[in-house]
């Protein structure tokens, strides 16, 4: 397996519930370390790691809901309809509706 240069590691409150959700969306469990309660997932080239909160983790502040404040993860997929159907079936609330973005690289302004 080739690893991306940047792979986000997300702290979760319930590893099994998070795994169930991501796998229902089509993510593949690449590997896990059950003893460490750690999982590595992928979907169409996107990669992420999950680890439940623990006192010796990468904690910088209290873990309070809503989690993930200040982070935006963009995941490119071939088809999103089935993922949205799954989220609706799971009654998973979206804070924003998904939208299509085209990649655009702009030249930096001359200095």
């Amino acid at each position: 397996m080739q690893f991306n240069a940047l792979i986000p590691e997300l702290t979760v409150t319930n590893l099994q519930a998070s795994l169930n959700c991501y796998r229902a969306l089509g993510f593949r469990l690449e590997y896990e370390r059950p003893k460490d309660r750690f999982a590595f997932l992928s979907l169409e080239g996107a990669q992420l790691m999950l680890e439940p909160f623990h006192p010796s983790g990468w904690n910088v502040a209290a873990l309070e809901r809503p989690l993930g404040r200040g982070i935006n993860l963009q995941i490119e997929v071939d088809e999103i309809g089935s993922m949205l159907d799954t989220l609706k079936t799971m009654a998973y609330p979206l804070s924003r509706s998904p939208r299509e973005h085209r990649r655009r690289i702009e030249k930096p302004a001359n200095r």
Side-chain angles (χ1 to χ4, degrees):
M1 165 185 281
Q2 183 174 346
F3 293 94
N4 293 343
L6 175 65
I7 305 171
E9 182 171 341
L10 306 177
T11 300
V12 299
T13 55
N14 183 315
L15 181 61
Q16 193 57 56
S18 296
L19 279 172
N20 292 345
C21 181
Y22 279 104
R23 293 183 80 186
L25 293 174
F27 279 80
R28 186 170 108 185
L29 179 62
E30 295 292 348
Y31 70 86
E32 62 183 325
R33 294 191 308 260
K35 184 177 178 183
D36 296 328
R37 298 176 56 210
F38 171 90
F40 184 90
L41 301 146
S42 71
L43 174 69
E44 298 182 27
Q47 298 173 334
L48 60 87
M49 300 178 285
L50 301 177
E51 179 181 49
F53 175 83
H54 59 90
S56 61
W58 294 97
N59 309 314
V60 295
L63 189 63
E64 300 172 351
R65 292 186 183 272
L67 305 181
R69 289 172 282 174
I71 187 168
N72 175 27
L73 300 176
Q74 179 175 312
I75 302 172
E76 182 178 327
V77 295
D78 290 331
E79 194 276 317
I80 195 169
S82 61
M83 293 176 87
L84 294 174
D85 291 343
T86 299
L87 290 170
K88 186 175 181 178
T89 300
M90 296 169 67
Y92 191 91
L94 296 178
S95 59
R96 289 187 180 179
S97 297
R99 59 185 182 201
E100 184 173 340
H101 285 277
R102 302 264 185 229
R103 291 186 185 169
R104 173 178 72 223
I105 299 175
E106 297 177 9
K107 294 180 182 179
N110 292 334
R111 293 181 187 220

